[in-house]
Amino acid sequence: MTIGQAAGLKLGKAVRDAFGTALKELGNEFPTVVTVDGDVGNSTRTEVFAKAFPERGFNVGIAESNMVGVAAGLAAAGKIPVVSSFAAFLTCNAYDQIRMCVAYPHLNVKMVGSHAGISIGEDGASQMAIEDIALMSALPGVAVVVPADAPSTKHLVKGMLEHHGPVYLRCGRIDVPEIYGPDSVLTIGKANQLRDGKNLTIIANGLMVGIALDAAVALEAKGISARVLDLHTVSPIDQEAIVKAVKETGRLVVAEEHLPHGGVGSAVASVTAQLAPCPIEFVNIGNTYAESGDPEGLLKKYGLTAEAIVAAAEKVCSR
Amino acid sequence: MTIGQAAGLKLGKAVRDAFGTALKELGNEFPTVVTVDGDVGNSTRTEVFAKAFPERGFNVGIAESNMVGVAAGLAAAGKIPVVSSFAAFLTCNAYDQIRMCVAYPHLNVKMVGSHAGISIGEDGASQMAIEDIALMSALPGVAVVVPADAPSTKHLVKGMLEHHGPVYLRCGRIDVPEIYGPDSVLTIGKANQLRDGKNLTIIANGLMVGIALDAAVALEAKGISARVLDLHTVSPIDQEAIVKAVKETGRLVVAEEHLPHGGVGSAVASVTAQLAPCPIEFVNIGNTYAESGDPEGLLKKYGLTAEAIVAAAEKVCSR
Amino acid sequence: MNLWRHGVHWLREDLLLNKFSRRLPSKEYRVAIFKPLSLDEMKAKTKVLRRHIVRMTTEAGSGHPSSSMSAVEMVTALFFGGFMQHDPAQPRWNNRDRFILSKGHAVPVLYAALAECGYFPVEELMTLRKLGSRLEGHPNMKRLDCIEASTGSLGQGLSVGVGHALACHMDGLSAHTYVMLGDGEMGEGQVWEALASAEKYKLANLTAIVDQNGYQQTGATKDVLKLTEFQPKIESFGWHVQTINGNDIEQVIAALTIARSIKDRPTAIVSKTQKGFGILPVLAPTGDLNYHGKPLSKELAEKALALLAD
Amino acid sequence: MNLWRHGVHWLREDLLLNKFSRRLPSKEYRVAIFKPLSLDEMKAKTKVLRRHIVRMTTEAGSGHPSSSMSAVEMVTALFFGGFMQHDPAQPRWNNRDRFILSKGHAVPVLYAALAECGYFPVEELMTLRKLGSRLEGHPNMKRLDCIEASTGSLGQGLSVGVGHALACHMDGLSAHTYVMLGDGEMGEGQVWEALASAEKYKLANLTAIVDQNGYQQTGATKDVLKLTEFQPKIESFGWHVQTINGNDIEQVIAALTIARSIKDRPTAIVSKTQKGFGILPVLAPTGDLNYHGKPLSKELAEKALALLAD
Ligand SMILES: Cc1ncc(C[n+]2csc(CCOP(=O)(O)OP(=O)(O)O)c2C)c(N)n1
Ligand SMILES: Cc1ncc(C[n+]2csc(CCOP(=O)(O)OP(=O)(O)O)c2C)c(N)n1
Ligand SMILES: [Mg+2]
Ligand SMILES: [Mg+2]
């Protein structure tokens, strides 16, 4: 994996791994946390928690709808359930249950989707969540959080457990570069500026943050100065940071591992249209399903590269 | 219902009624059309078709996931299945089946959601689809169509059957004013200008079109000239019409019976950000679930009125 | 804990109603909850609930009276027959017994029972489905804290019940969770997922009640699907199952008593009922024995109320 | 129509492969499809398929060989035992018998069979899961027109099969639809919805095969849920059910023959198998008898291929 190389970042753990470890480490501090799995705890890494706290881990089998309903019942009875599956199955297969049993009554359920995006690779489109941000952001009162790396995941998992109300946490499968240090502080709802710049701002989250930082380095070489904002929380969105970016840099590129509709790009575009209209270019997989392949090959084929961000930045600067 | 009064429109049938009648009338012309219901054919009005063509109507009970899968199988075997339920249950309860069995293989399934929006009234939030546009637009290759009235529904239902590939048709429950005449021609993918204006454009669809026309009349009285565009197709979106509106009127109000994220507003905002940045104000129900009540009272409480559009128009004109 | 179970209860008058309520309860409701009614009293109570159902849905001009009617004996036995231990003063008391109405459209029967228990004033029933009322068309737990689950999308309540039962079990609580489903609703696959998960965890503190009233929205349940032999199906999922006439309150009480005595697995009651039971003589002449999702006209309501008079 | 059913078939050499294919088929495949193999030939074919599975997943470096192995006898009998009538020259021929792999992750077994039938070249198997290959990690019907359903999200294939069976019935076609599910997959409620809908329409042209290999992703199926007694459950949904040893090809053939003879309702075969059957001596020493979703290392693959040599 070459992500983060240009920016001088070193490869760290996958977000899902950091999630599993963090959950286990927080297990004693949050004694009402329980996990509810749909037979993929070894993929989502809730297994790490469930092995450490066997009485607090439930596996209800391959039955995502029931899984979410059970989690809602546990929450209504005072637990903090962390319910997880592949992001595609959690968000798509149990959407009505999330809507009715979690979002509508605003129950304290933490929903974690692993294997988000096309970077999962060889398993192909059926296992890739490329619409989960659209779906989960369309739930009033649900916080939608997309960590960029392992260290920030640790913080955001704690933030998620402390937050009162439903949260969706999106995790990737593959190892990603470390962007944050162990002491970085991240707050749900507050975007994080990773690099300043004056010609444009690249807004990204998840896997795309490292790629955005690479792109910023390449742009610098071309004389374009790019601010990079980690928009780890998509909902509620940090309007202030976005407006500030527009005011100070004039234009935006939004990069996300998602399809165009309903993702970070359209959320940002709604904010700017209302508060600070400006040119934006969007970097995403396009309006398509992806396919099987190696993660790096897929990212390239579906346009999620530093080169694509550079091209978008050049384009937006020329508008 | 006072919608359309200011604009001098007369009340017509509900979109779901027009859909049911149109489907029946097209039954002979499209001999491979079949309906697949989830025990609400008397609500969605597919019953009208199924009574006329009893061999071609299937009711698989209260089981939306299976319903969509069955429709996909029928399509793969050469039928044109029209699968329907309340929009909330069709899109939310069977989302993974729509994703995997319909959108991903791009099968020729027509998906019809009745009872969309908060104007269904007394049944309350569980039966109101306020996120269906976000969900269905996040499916590559699925056309998303929202008719404004009965006459246009007739055209769009035919367009839907002629269109090769998956389509989502959103229908409302209540009677709405007639905006189109019997001879109006509508094409999936092409927005329809209902009224010209030079100070701003109001983009709306579904129930909000009549309300937008009322607002345009009120705005005219205030010396503000508003174009009104019926964006009956949300996906694929008519970029050309939107860019033209921005070029010619400078600013937009987007009005929809939906929550903000992933709806028509954010789709329009994405287009303008990329092609013609401009100020936009959004009229929608806000980031919330609604509640039980009479349709008119709900529309008022949740801000879907001509007054709300007028206020948004004044605001966007002052920006 | 056991004190509760036997009807002794410390009363805090100040907390007797939940925070939204507007008036103090009558003395009656406490007795009703903590001392089981006699059989005759319960039979009278079924009429009270039925009258509420007729009145509130006719006043609302929409709703599902027939779906509510079939469930009256079961709801009456649960709330007034000593099966449910709960406290209107603390609707979220953690060891309360839970009742989840998975067939949420039948919520008038639940509102009627809750009002009779004193959770809110009986007069509030007449606000059903009106803008601003907390008595929404389908149960909304966020707005009314005596509601255990927000339902209305069919098929979901049993899963929520499994969650409650698991939590109670973890916390060593004796609370029992009852979930009522419709026979049409049994078509939802999620119900069968929930049945399987309850079997796995041997949730003896969970009882599913299938209100088998023979109809669903578009017709007879046996015509829509052929699921109607529920007992062998649910038994094959490892549950203890009883089939009874659910409009016979004595059979209901007997079945609930047996259900509570089973200690090694979840229990189900297939409650064979009639949709619209109690007002069928009024519905029959309309030719629509299902009468799904329609309130009675003012005229029919008068007739029904006459039929249901004490 | 009947001509087809008895193996007589007009051949159009130009259409023998679908449009994506790169080479003409060998003579062999036509015989394989239209003239059933002998028992010995089928046993040999199971080894061929197993070798393909090992090779392609090890070459891919990911995939689900053990989930594929358990299903080899069933797939072999269906495709090479004369049960499936289909035509590589016209993959979408409307009266073809259909095979839907609902447990889509086991797709290597299907690719192996399809290649052996001549739908695409055997060498293409080695492109499994590589960028650009039509042999994706889960079946993608849009890319490969011998695939009947895009699966990979478990629980959905039987519903699609119901749709095919309904369409064939409407059109007066004799085609039969087979759907293979995993035992873990049976946890998905949608499967039970599909079972109920097939019962309603008495779809005798539909056969569900549960590949009960005893394991799912995180462990033994009997530990994850207690659904494992499938026969009474599926029977209670009105289906004709047989339980067999699905790794014994003679039992498989007998069961498929009986299934085809049932004319009044849908049929299911609970196929008790072993996950990884055929290479268990190679997997056993790893201590992981489930071996879910992992390819064999090159070294283990060598051992497995030796075991599977003719
Ligand atoms: C998921 C879902 N699908 C459809 C509906 C629409 N609906 C409301 S009530 C009903 C019929 C319910 O029948 P049954 O479960 O037998 O309850 P009854 O009214 O007979 O008591 C239907 C289909 C719904 N509320 N939820
Ligand atoms: C809806 C859904 N949930 C989870 C998964 C992840 N998953 C893939 S294979 C598998 C286990 C399948 O077990 P089983 O059905 O017994 O098939 P086997 O591999 O044993 O043949 C799981 C949970 C999935 N593909 N789809
Ligand atoms: Mg019923
Ligand atoms: Mg298995």
Side-chain angles (χ1 to χ4, degrees), chain B residues 39-43 59-64 89 93 122-127 290-294 297-298 301, chain C residues 60 62 64 129-133 136-138 143 151-154 156 184-185 187-188 216-219 224-225:
Chain B
D39 196 38
V40 293
N42 50 352
S43 298
N59 178 3
V60 297
I62 310 175
E64 291 75 11
F89 308 135
N93 202 289
E122 290 79 2
D123 273 342
S126 66
Q127 325 282 304
E291 63 188 295
S292 291
D294 59 296
L298 282 168
K301 179 159 178 179
Chain C
S62 67
H64 300 74
R129 292 174 158 254
K130 291 185 178 160
L131 192 59
S133 169
E136 296 207 48
H138 291 81
R143 215 145 169 199
T151 53
S153 182
L154 292 164
Q156 306 186 358
E185 183 180 13
E188 286 287 355
Q216 55 192 92
Q217 179 166 327
T218 59
V224 177
L225 289 172

Side-chain angles (χ1 to χ4, degrees), chain B residues 5-300:
Chain B
Q5 264 179 18
L9 304 171
K10 74 167 214 290
L11 197 64
K13 284 195 304 177
V15 167
R16 62 171 172 152
D17 289 316
F19 154 70
T21 309
L23 196 65
K24 187 195 108 181
E25 282 170 4
L26 293 163
N28 286 319
E29 191 178 333
F30 292 86
T32 57
V33 164
V34 296
T35 53
V36 189
D37 288 318
D39 196 38
V40 293
N42 50 352
S43 298
T44 64
R45 306 303 197 219
T46 46
E47 175 187 76
V48 180
F49 173 91
K51 281 195 172 146
F53 303 96
E55 304 295 305
R56 290 159 62 186
F58 301 101
N59 178 3
V60 297
I62 310 175
E64 291 75 11
S65 304
N66 181 51
M67 174 183 81
V68 168
V70 169
L74 284 158
K79 305 294 173 198
I80 306 181
V82 177
V83 60
S84 73
S85 184
F86 281 35
F89 308 135
L90 172 66
T91 67
C92 299
N93 202 289
Y95 193 76
D96 199 30
Q97 291 73 27
I98 294 174
R99 172 181 78 104
M100 282 298 302
C101 297
V102 179
Y104 177 42
H106 199 73
L107 284 171
N108 198 21
V109 178
K110 313 306 174 185
M111 300 169 279
V112 180
S114 73
H115 291 65
I118 64 170
S119 57
I120 66 159
E122 290 79 2
D123 273 342
S126 66
Q127 325 282 304
M128 294 168 170
I130 56 167
E131 63 292 271
D132 56 324
I133 300 298
L135 270 62
M136 300 307 279
S137 303
L139 296 161
V142 174
V144 176
V145 180
V146 187
D149 72 351
S152 67
T153 299
K154 202 177 147 163
H155 276 278
L156 291 167
V157 169
K158 185 156 190 210
M160 167 175 94
L161 298 183
E162 283 165 347
H163 180 90
H164 190 81
V167 179
Y168 173 61
L169 187 83
R170 182 192 221 215
C171 302
R173 186 183 81 84
I174 61 170
D175 289 343
V176 288
E178 289 199 353
I179 288 150
Y180 293 92
D183 303 326
S184 315
V185 176
L186 286 97
T187 313
I188 289 182
K190 281 254 135 272
N192 208 67
Q193 183 171 317
L194 292 167
R195 180 188 168 115
D196 204 2
K198 54 184 195 303
N199 300 126
L200 83 156
T201 299
I202 307 171
I203 296 179
N205 65 19
L207 183 73
M208 299 309 292
V209 175
I211 300 177
L213 288 169
D214 287 342
V217 171
L219 284 167
E220 196 169 37
K222 294 182 177 230
I224 299 175
S225 154
R227 175 181 296 186
V228 177
L229 217 53
D230 175 7
L231 193 70
H232 51 74
T233 306
V234 183
S235 185
I237 198 162
D238 188 346
Q239 295 196 336
E240 219 173 287
I242 294 167
V243 171
K244 189 161 175 278
V246 177
K247 294 255 154 80
E248 293 173 6
T249 71
R251 45 204 71 229
L252 308 177
V253 167
V254 185
E256 61 188 314
E257 196 182 0
H258 195 269
L259 51 69
H261 190 91
V264 187
S266 68
V268 169
S270 296
V271 171
T272 58
Q274 213 170 354
L275 301 173
C278 76
I280 312 182
E281 288 294 323
F282 301 102
V283 175
N284 50 50
I285 69 162
N287 200 23
T288 181
Y289 291 102
E291 63 188 295
S292 291
D294 59 296
E296 203 142 9
L298 282 168
L299 292 173
K300 197 160 173 209

Side-chain angles (χ1 to χ4, degrees), chain A residues 261-282:
Chain A
H261 190 92
V264 186
S266 68
V268 170
S270 296
V271 171
T272 58
Q274 212 170 356
L275 301 174
C278 77
I280 313 183
E281 289 295 324
F282 302 103

Side-chain angles (χ1 to χ4, degrees), chain D residues 51-67:
Chain D
R51 289 197 299 265
H52 285 323
I53 293 166
V54 169
R55 282 206 192 94
M56 71 176 117
T57 51
T58 294
E59 166 68 21
S62 68
H64 299 73
S66 66
S67 306

Side-chain angles (χ1 to χ4, degrees), chain C residues 196-221:
Chain C
S197 63
E199 174 187 27
K200 171 178 182 174
Y201 292 106
K202 301 193 181 68
L203 297 176
N205 57 353
L206 179 67
T207 297
I209 298 152
V210 182
D211 183 30
Q212 186 168 12
N213 58 23
Y215 286 95
Q216 55 192 92
Q217 179 166 327
T218 59
T221 302

